[in-house]
Amino acid sequence: MVDVAARETKSTRTRQRILDAAAEVFSEQGYPARLSDIADRAGMKAGSLYYHFDSREDLVAEVLRLGIEGSWEQVAAAVGRLPSTATPLQRLEAAVRAHTLSIVGRSAYATAQARIVGSLPPDLARAHRKDQRAYGEYWRDLFDAAQRAGQLKSGVDTFAAQMLAFGAMNWTSEWFQAGRGLTPEQLADQAVMLFFGGVASLP
Amino acid sequence: MVDVAARETKSTRTRQRILDAAAEVFSEQGYPARLSDIADRAGMKAGSLYYHFDSREDLVAEVLRLGIEGSWEQVAAAVGRLPSTATPLQRLEAAVRAHTLSIVGRSAYATAQARIVGSLPPDLARAHRKDQRAYGEYWRDLFDAAQRAGQLKSGVDTFAAQMLAFGAMNWTSEWFQAGRGLTPEQLADQAVMLFFGGVASLP
DNA sequence: GTCTATATGACGATAGAC
DNA sequence: GTCTATCGTCATATAGAC
């Protein structure tokens, strides 16, 4: 066995613990969170972080990457679980539901990602944009398929619709509190209903 | 004339210039923006800011307040311009259009507010929440009226709908670029169409 | 690998001249 | 009112012991 990626050394486990702590702290405090707070939660001293990460920015970048990756995996899995007879619109619906749940469903990474993207210094923002673009293109394919199938209202700008949807879904990390009012699943239902059918009762 | 509020001393003009500069810088760099950058743009040195504001937090708080105030005024004006025969749903539509335009339509304050609200330290967040709540209740009245008039789809959770809408609209400050693709007005149309009718072509 | 201790550098904030 | 100069604080990052 020489599969380095899969090997579980003490180091990789600690690194993971640090990342988990960082995701939680960033999701609570936003970008200005201090390394000492992250170290505290990981059960170590701030200086010790540097054995695992070269800099604060490296740590932030990794949390951001994992945030997108996590949502993407959940969304892709949900879409993949659909029967092959599912329509493009149903696939898009499953994606909206899954992404909303990935934000709200206690994924500190997804929440942190959604919360701190707005305050990134230029270099981190640039690095992050590549991942965003890749995930965005996955969504664009979903939109394009639905549009080609004639399942989208005429006049809909798919790019604007996609970005408006991301805004609505990602912002839930700021206000949604499980147990107060809606469950995560009910919130996802609301998002799907609103996004595909709108709030108005009259056509 | 002893109307202090309306008097235009040099001090109030400078104060205004600082606030404008701060709104721009915060809208570009997010919460971590430096006072020196703000001072630069206002044409002064960082230390001089303290003649006009007691602390960095005071300055941030004022920008936040003006951000909400500006959107609110634009929205209220748009709703007020409607004929008295307008339905509750039409009033809500006007609000969505106006709020979207207030974010995209080059209001640095609204953009800054939408952008940095996620990274506020606890005390600033608490202070800001009062303003948010007041503006939110204005919206809640619009929603309630529409619901009472039977113009909202049954099953819609108005609070969730409101917050999802805010997320979608405020997030536009992160991605929308006038001149590339849609105009601000077209974007507002998209937001209205999506929010009230959804993207799906089939009912 | 994690610690303590310290270097380094930023930034917010203050004091006093003008 | 704005400047220059400086203080104090705090966070990132490094060095070296364990």
Side-chain angles (χ1 to χ4, degrees):
Chain A
M1 270 302 158
V2 238
D3 186 342
V4 178
R7 188 153 53 202
E8 264 233 356
T9 66
K10 174 176 182 191
S11 184
T12 56
R13 267 181 284 118
T14 304
R15 182 188 157 88
Q16 189 57 50
R17 207 175 67 238
I18 294 171
L19 286 166
D20 289 347
E24 286 175 23
V25 172
F26 283 129
S27 73
E28 292 164 7
Q29 303 184 14
Y31 182 78
R34 301 181 246 297
L35 287 187
S36 56
D37 290 341
I38 295 170
D40 275 358
R41 189 162 319 201
M44 52 172 44
K45 299 297 177 180
S48 309
L49 296 175
Y50 286 84
Y51 179 81
H52 303 274
F53 294 91
D54 286 344
S55 70
R56 180 187 204 278
E57 296 211 342
D58 275 16
L59 178 55
V60 174
E62 187 68 355
V63 170
L64 289 173
R65 201 183 61 73
L66 292 170
I68 287 189
E69 191 177 276
S71 289
W72 196 342
E73 281 172 5
Q74 286 191 49
V75 169
V79 172
R81 267 194 302 275
L82 293 175
S84 58
T85 55
T87 68
L89 193 66
Q90 287 169 331
R91 291 164 61 86
L92 195 50
E93 280 183 18
V96 169
R97 175 170 280 108
H99 184 91
T100 303
L101 286 174
S102 84
I103 298 290
V104 167
R106 98 168 203 318
S107 162
Y109 289 93
T111 307
Q113 191 270 335
R115 180 152 191 189
I116 69 186
V117 280
S119 314
L120 294 178
D123 45 346
L124 270 181
R126 200 164 343 99
H128 186 49
R129 217 163 289 153
K130 220 190 305 177
D131 294 331
Q132 280 185 308
R133 221 186 304 274
Y135 185 41
E137 290 195 3
Y138 173 83
W139 277 81
R140 194 153 75 92
D141 290 345
L142 293 173
F143 270 97
D144 285 351
Q147 193 167 52
R148 276 198 308 274
Q151 294 187 288
L152 296 190
K153 201 171 286 181
S154 75
V156 166
D157 181 294
T158 54
F159 178 69
Q162 177 176 329
M163 298 310 278
L164 289 167
F166 270 122
M169 294 187 291
N170 288 345
W171 181 247
T172 57
S173 62
E174 291 292 331
W175 59 269
F176 182 79
Q177 307 206 4
R180 290 205 192 168
L182 303 173
T183 65
E185 286 73 20
Q186 288 172 327
L187 173 65
D189 287 341
Q190 290 288 323
V192 168
M193 172 167 42
L194 187 156
F195 190 62
F196 293 96
V199 297
S201 63
L202 311 171
Chain B
M1 272 299 158
V2 238
D3 187 344
V4 177
R7 187 152 53 202
E8 265 234 357
T9 67
K10 176 177 181 189
S11 184
T12 58
R13 266 182 284 115
T14 304
R15 182 188 156 90
Q16 189 56 50
R17 207 175 66 239
I18 294 171
L19 285 167
D20 289 348
E24 286 175 25
V25 172
F26 282 129
S27 73
E28 291 164 9
Q29 304 184 14
Y31 182 77
R34 301 183 247 296
L35 286 186
S36 56
D37 290 341
I38 294 170
D40 276 358
R41 188 162 319 200
M44 51 172 45
K45 299 297 177 180
S48 310
L49 296 175
Y50 285 84
Y51 179 81
H52 302 274
F53 295 90
D54 286 345
S55 69
R56 179 186 205 275
E57 297 211 341
D58 275 16
L59 178 55
V60 174
E62 187 68 356
V63 170
L64 289 173
R65 201 183 60 74
L66 292 171
I68 287 189
E69 190 176 278
S71 289
W72 195 343
E73 280 172 5
Q74 285 191 48
V75 169
V79 172
R81 268 194 302 275
L82 292 176
S84 57
T85 55
T87 68
L89 194 67
Q90 286 170 332
R91 292 163 60 85
L92 195 50
E93 280 183 18
V96 168
R97 173 170 281 108
H99 184 92
T100 303
L101 287 174
S102 84
I103 298 290
V104 213
R106 98 167 204 319
S107 162
Y109 288 93
T111 307
Q113 191 271 335
R115 180 153 191 189
I116 71 185
V117 70
S119 314
L120 295 178
D123 44 346
L124 270 182
R126 199 162 346 98
H128 186 48
R129 217 162 290 153
K130 220 189 307 178
D131 294 330
Q132 280 185 307
R133 220 186 304 274
Y135 186 41
E137 290 195 3
Y138 173 84
W139 277 81
R140 194 153 75 92
D141 290 344
L142 293 174
F143 270 97
D144 284 352
Q147 194 168 49
R148 275 198 309 274
Q151 293 187 288
L152 296 190
K153 200 172 286 180
S154 74
V156 166
D157 180 295
T158 54
F159 178 68
Q162 177 176 328
M163 297 311 277
L164 289 166
F166 271 121
M169 295 188 290
N170 288 346
W171 181 247
T172 58
S173 62
E174 291 293 329
W175 60 268
F176 182 78
Q177 307 205 2
R180 289 205 192 169
L182 303 173
T183 65
E185 286 74 19
Q186 288 172 328
L187 172 65
D189 287 341
Q190 290 288 323
V192 167
M193 170 166 44
L194 188 155
F195 190 62
F196 293 95
V199 298
S201 63
L202 310 172

